[in-house]
Amino acid sequence: MTVPSSGPAIAAIVARLDLIPDHDVIDGEPLDTPQQRYLCVYDQTGVAVRRKYTGRAGWLYLPVQVSVVTRTLDGLRGSVKAVRDALLDWPPVPGATPLVEDGTNPILTEGEGNDRRLTAPITLHCYLPPEEN
């Protein structure tokens, strides 16, 4: 048994978010500011969960953050709802636990005037199953 990889799960999350209309989905930080609402997916490599008796790595705890970025508060609320509808209670790969929301952080405001952006970070996690050799 080997420790699972987070790569396929993150690819599945990005693909699922890409189905939300009128949003750009970016795996990480955007290079340029997109023209429409956008979602940035940030992940870590995950933390291997050790088995109690053998000490071998089994499941992988995978924390994920989706930063929702819009120009209006109403747009932000709608986008956050769309992200939750798409991801919550959905396992990103076969055998994984469904994604659950750990919480949201305060809304961040950047820019001024016509270049105002609101960001709502949503933190989630799931457990990825062990991979068989």
Side-chain angles (χ1 to χ4, degrees), residues 36-84:
Q36 59 186 354
R37 296 182 283 180
Y38 62 98
L39 311 170
C40 297
V41 178
Y42 299 98
D43 68 303
Q44 298 172 11
T45 56
V47 177
V49 177
R50 301 276 173 202
R51 293 176 182 229
K52 186 172 182 177
Y53 296 107
T54 65
R56 293 178 62 196
W59 292 79
L60 186 75
Y61 171 78
L62 180 64
V64 177
Q65 177 179 307
V66 178
S67 289
V68 180
V69 184
T70 68
R71 295 203 181 271
T72 67
L73 194 53
D74 284 343
L76 189 69
R77 289 181 184 126
S79 294
V80 166
K81 181 183 181 324
V83 168
R84 286 181 174 139

Side-chain angles (χ1 to χ4, degrees), residues 63-130:
V64 177
Q65 177 179 307
V66 178
S67 289
V68 180
V69 184
T70 68
R71 295 203 181 271
T72 67
L73 194 53
D74 284 343
L76 189 69
R77 289 181 184 126
S79 294
V80 166
K81 181 183 181 324
V83 168
R84 286 181 174 139
D85 289 348
L87 296 182
L88 290 182
D89 297 324
W90 169 73
V93 293
T97 63
L99 283 160
V100 295
E101 185 172 353
D102 294 322
T104 56
N105 296 302
I107 295 171
L108 306 172
T109 303
E110 292 183 51
E112 296 178 10
N114 291 336
D115 191 29
R116 183 173 171 225
R117 289 182 298 279
L118 303 171
T119 303
I122 302 169
T123 55
L124 312 129
H125 81 269
C126 69
Y127 289 90
L128 303 179

